């Protein structure tokens, strides 16, 4: 029996908060002084949101909320759903409402680079995950965009999983000391991941009750050796220097996860246009 994938959806309070922040930033203390000067407050119009380039859609709830924040009676009808792959010139949605609202909310929407990375590793066991390298205030939205593109989320913050990095190890005086302290104070529901950059460090880490290892900046040969050494005992994550050109060979080493910071800190927004009827 096939399992139907869960529908992608952002919590309403996150949508409202993000839209309010974006509109407040754009409107400042005076509002849209151009539209207010040219357009009657009672004028209405219809428009289409069209993709200027091919891409994956994410953030339709945000787009709809942007128009409704300025005109509660605005009608927003989407032609596609979040995570849909669209070609250039595809109509994404139609919107009808007060002309000023349509003009003022035009630039508030989101999409993702993740689908290209997911496609590059298709046929391997590797899953694509993001990192905490996100735009301040937009982490939930950018991680949502990663899910819409077919990827998965790494931890959301410092609070929901333990990741022992090189600086923790150095400050504690060594890997064994860091893990001894950490394991003594960790609750049974908290996952522990350890960053290693050599096979010796990996071997040392595997003597502790950890859940995952982050194989940092290892070349393909070392990644293969690490996967063989681990032999399925913990989750393996490759990270560092991952690009669309290198990711396929990394995935073919047998790692479980590949984390890519560029999915959030360098992903371009899909080019969309509001076309007037």
């Amino acid at each position: 029996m096939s399992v139907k994938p869960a529908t992608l959806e952002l919590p309403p309070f996150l949508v409202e908060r993000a839209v309010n922040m974006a509109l407040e930033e754009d409107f400042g203390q005076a509002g849209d002084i151009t539209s207010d000067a040219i357009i009657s407050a009672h004028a209405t119009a219809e428009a289409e949101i069209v993709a200027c380039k091919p891409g994956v859609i994410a953030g339709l709830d945000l787009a709809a909320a942007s128009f409704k924040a300025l005109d509660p009676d605005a009608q927003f009808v989407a032609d596609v759903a979040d995570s849909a792959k669209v070609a250039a010139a595809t109509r994404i949605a139609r919107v009808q409402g007060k002309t000023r609202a349509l003009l003022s909310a035009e630039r508030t929407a989101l999409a993702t680079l993740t689908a290209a990375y997911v496609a590059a590793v298709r046929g391997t066991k590797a899953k694509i995950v993001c990192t905490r390298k996100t735009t301040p205030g937009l982490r939930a939205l950018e991680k949502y965009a990663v899910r819409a593109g077919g990827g998965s989320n790494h931890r959301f913050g410092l609070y929901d999983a333990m990741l022992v990095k090189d600086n923790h190890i150095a400050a504690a005086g060594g890997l064994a000391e860091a893990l001894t302290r950490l394991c003594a104070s960790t609750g049974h529901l908290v996952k522990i991941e350890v960053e290693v950059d050599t096979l010796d460090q990996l071997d040392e880490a595997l003597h502790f009750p950890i859940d995952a290892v982050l194989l940092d900046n290892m070349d393909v040969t070392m990644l293969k050796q690490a996967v063989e050494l681990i032999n399925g005992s913990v989750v393996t994550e490759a990270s560092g220097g991952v690009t669309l050109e290198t990711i396929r060979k990394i995935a073919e080493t047998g790692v479980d996860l590949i984390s890519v910071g560029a999915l959030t800190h360098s992903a371009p927004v899909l080019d969309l246009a509001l076309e007037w009827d």
Side-chain angles (χ1 to χ4, degrees), residues 30 69 83 98 135 196 200 212 239 266 269 271 277:
S83 79
K98 291 182 179 178
T135 307
V196 299
D200 287 340
S239 183
S266 299
V269 175
D271 189 6
D277 283 357

Side-chain angles (χ1 to χ4, degrees), residues 2-177:
S2 62
V3 178
K4 185 178 179 181
T7 302
L8 277 169
E9 190 175 80
L10 277 166
F13 82 91
L14 288 179
V15 172
E16 182 179 0
R17 184 175 69 183
V19 167
N20 287 342
M21 285 172 55
L23 293 177
E24 182 179 355
E25 184 177 60
D26 224 13
F27 275 57
Q29 302 300 310
D32 183 352
I33 59 177
T34 306
S35 296
D36 289 352
I38 297 173
I39 309 298
S40 164
H42 303 292
T44 61
E46 294 186 13
E48 297 180 345
I49 300 176
V50 178
C52 298
K53 294 181 180 180
V56 176
I57 300 302
L60 287 169
D61 285 349
L62 295 164
S66 298
F67 293 111
K68 287 183 176 293
L70 299 176
D71 178 6
D73 296 322
Q75 300 297 310
F76 184 94
V77 180
D79 292 317
V80 299
D82 277 357
S83 79
K85 295 180 180 179
V86 298
T90 299
R91 189 178 76 184
I92 308 303
R94 290 188 60 81
V95 60
Q96 180 180 16
K98 291 182 179 178
T99 308
R100 285 185 180 181
L102 268 58
L103 290 169
S104 298
E106 176 183 354
R107 289 298 172 197
T108 312
L110 245 202
T112 183
L113 170 70
T114 307
Y117 280 88
V118 172
V121 302
R122 189 162 290 133
T124 72
K125 66 183 289 190
K127 293 174 64 175
I128 304 302
V129 298
C130 56
T131 70
R132 287 194 303 113
K133 296 175 181 176
T134 55
T135 307
L138 297 180
R139 180 167 296 174
L141 306 185
E142 291 177 344
K143 283 181 172 285
Y144 173 82
V146 168
R147 299 197 302 275
S152 299
N153 293 153
H154 206 282
R155 60 179 183 162
F156 268 72
L158 299 174
Y159 57 86
D160 57 346
M162 290 182 167
L163 176 53
V164 182
K165 297 179 71 68
D166 53 357
N167 287 338
H168 296 116
I169 294 168
L175 178 59
E177 181 61 25

Side-chain angles (χ1 to χ4, degrees), residues 114 116-122 124 126-129 220 238 241-253 255 257-260 263:
T114 307
Y117 280 88
V118 172
V121 302
R122 189 162 290 133
T124 72
K127 293 174 64 175
I128 304 302
V129 298
V220 169
V242 179
T243 67
L244 279 171
E245 289 70 36
T246 64
I247 197 167
R248 181 72 192 187
K249 288 186 176 180
I250 293 172
E252 289 172 348
T253 65
V255 294
L257 308 171
I258 305 175
S259 54
V260 186
L263 299 183

